[in-house]
Amino acid sequence: ILNVEQSPQSLHVQEGDSTNFTCSFPSSNFYALHWYRWETAKSPEALFVMTLNGDEKKKGRISATLNTKEGYSYLYIKGSQPEDSATYLCASNSGGGADGLTFGKGTHLIIQP
Amino acid sequence: ETGVTQTPRHLVMGMTNKKSLKCEQHLGHNAMYWYKQSAKKPLELMFVYSLEERVENNSVPSRFSPECPNSSHLFLHLHTLQPEDSALYLCASSRELRGLNIGYTFGSGTRLTVV
């Protein structure tokens, strides 16, 4: 069974500031690492899927890095905006294809105007 | 709309009732999933269907019974539930591309309350 841990649990950031948070996962039998954004009353939305050690992905002001050897991923948000307020979920799976994901509890991000 | 539709959005049922949750996707995905979100817990995988065959069952109690009649539809049949089964039930679908799951598309979920 995988244990995916995310920190911090919640975070308040001033609008315009940059921030980052962490996901840690077991590095053995690693296959892929996913990040999702989940806004209140909406569906979780896929941000990134990463598989290779050293992967870096970017989508607008949001980027993510992956270290599979030590088992962690960082999500960065540059110049936070109120619309970035959401819960950010990290998930990992140890098999390929259609295997289910093991999710962390998420980081709840609140951007203060 | 994400392309994954779940009905109903909210459901209140008694412990002796039988009800079903429905999930539908027309994204051409070949795998579908049921997840449960309880308060202060991470999303928990319940069932996986790949190409309409169940591939993972994660020790879910038998009062939850999934059904996948085709690649676009997924059901979760509920029978004799307990109050602790009250939770948000999320459906997701995904496509496997060259052995890689390229990310889930989630539905909006069914908020279930068992009384």
Side-chain angles (χ1 to χ4, degrees), chain A residues 35-57:
Chain A
W35 280 101
Y36 291 84
R37 181 169 80 178
W38 195 357
E39 293 179 66
T40 305
K42 293 189 177 180
S43 313
E45 172 199 356
L47 289 173
F48 306 113
V49 179
M50 297 182 287
T51 56
L52 299 175
N53 185 44
D55 257 354
E56 289 188 32
K57 297 233 173 162

Side-chain angles (χ1 to χ4, degrees), chain A residues 31 36 38 43 97-98 100-101 103-104, chain B residues 33 35 37 42 48 99 101 104 107-108:
Chain A
Y31 190 82
Y36 291 84
W38 195 357
S43 313
L101 297 174
F103 281 84
Chain B
Y33 311 80
Y35 275 85
Q37 163 103 89
V48 179
N101 178 325
Y104 287 6
S108 300

Side-chain angles (χ1 to χ4, degrees), chain B residues 8 10-21 63-65 76-87 89 110-115:
Chain B
H10 300 273
L11 178 62
V12 179
M13 60 186 288
M15 289 191 280
T16 57
N17 291 161
K18 283 185 185 181
K19 295 284 184 185
S20 295
L21 310 185
R63 57 187 184 267
F64 295 92
S65 173
L76 188 63
H77 303 299
L78 314 172
H79 176 49
T80 326
L81 294 193
Q82 305 297 311
E84 59 264 29
D85 297 321
S86 299
Y89 290 84
T110 295
R111 174 68 63 184
L112 174 68
T113 304
V114 181
V115 297

Side-chain angles (χ1 to χ4, degrees), chain A residues 13-66:
Chain A
V13 174
Q14 207 66 32
E15 182 178 353
D17 287 353
S18 296
T19 188
N20 64 83
F21 27 92
T22 309
C23 171
S24 63
F25 54 90
S27 53
S28 58
N29 296 321
F30 171 82
Y31 190 82
L33 191 285
H34 296 228
W35 280 101
Y36 291 84
R37 181 169 80 178
W38 195 357
E39 293 179 66
T40 305
K42 293 189 177 180
S43 313
E45 172 199 356
L47 289 173
F48 306 113
V49 179
M50 297 182 287
T51 56
L52 299 175
N53 185 44
D55 257 354
E56 289 188 32
K57 297 233 173 162
K58 190 174 178 184
K59 192 174 185 177
R61 293 179 293 98
I62 303 177
S63 60
T65 60
L66 179 67

Side-chain angles (χ1 to χ4, degrees), chain B:
Chain B
E1 287 298 328
T2 64
V4 177
T5 304
Q6 286 187 247
T7 54
R9 294 293 297 270
H10 300 273
L11 178 62
V12 179
M13 60 186 288
M15 289 191 280
T16 57
N17 291 161
K18 283 185 185 181
K19 295 284 184 185
S20 295
L21 310 185
K22 181 182 175 184
C23 177
E24 189 172 346
Q25 61 92 8
H26 296 287
L27 300 169
H29 288 176
N30 54 14
M32 296 185 78
Y33 311 80
W34 281 116
Y35 275 85
K36 176 183 177 183
Q37 163 103 89
S38 305
K40 304 200 181 201
K41 286 188 174 182
L43 282 169
E44 298 172 77
L45 177 65
M46 298 177 75
F47 299 106
V48 179
Y49 276 85
S50 177
L51 300 172
E52 299 157 43
E53 286 191 18
R54 189 158 79 190
V55 296
E56 189 165 346
N57 184 353
N58 264 22
S59 303
V60 177
S62 59
R63 57 187 184 267
F64 295 92
S65 173
E67 180 190 359
C68 186
N70 55 62
S71 59
S72 299
H73 295 86
L74 184 66
F75 296 89
L76 188 63
H77 303 299
L78 314 172
H79 176 49
T80 326
L81 294 193
Q82 305 297 311
E84 59 264 29
D85 297 321
S86 299
L88 179 70
Y89 290 84
L90 280 168
C91 172
S93 67
S94 72
R95 184 163 64 95
E96 182 188 346
L97 186 64
R98 291 190 288 275
L100 175 66
N101 178 325
I102 60 172
Y104 287 6
T105 300
F106 280 91
S108 300
T110 295
R111 174 68 63 184
L112 174 68
T113 304
V114 181
V115 297

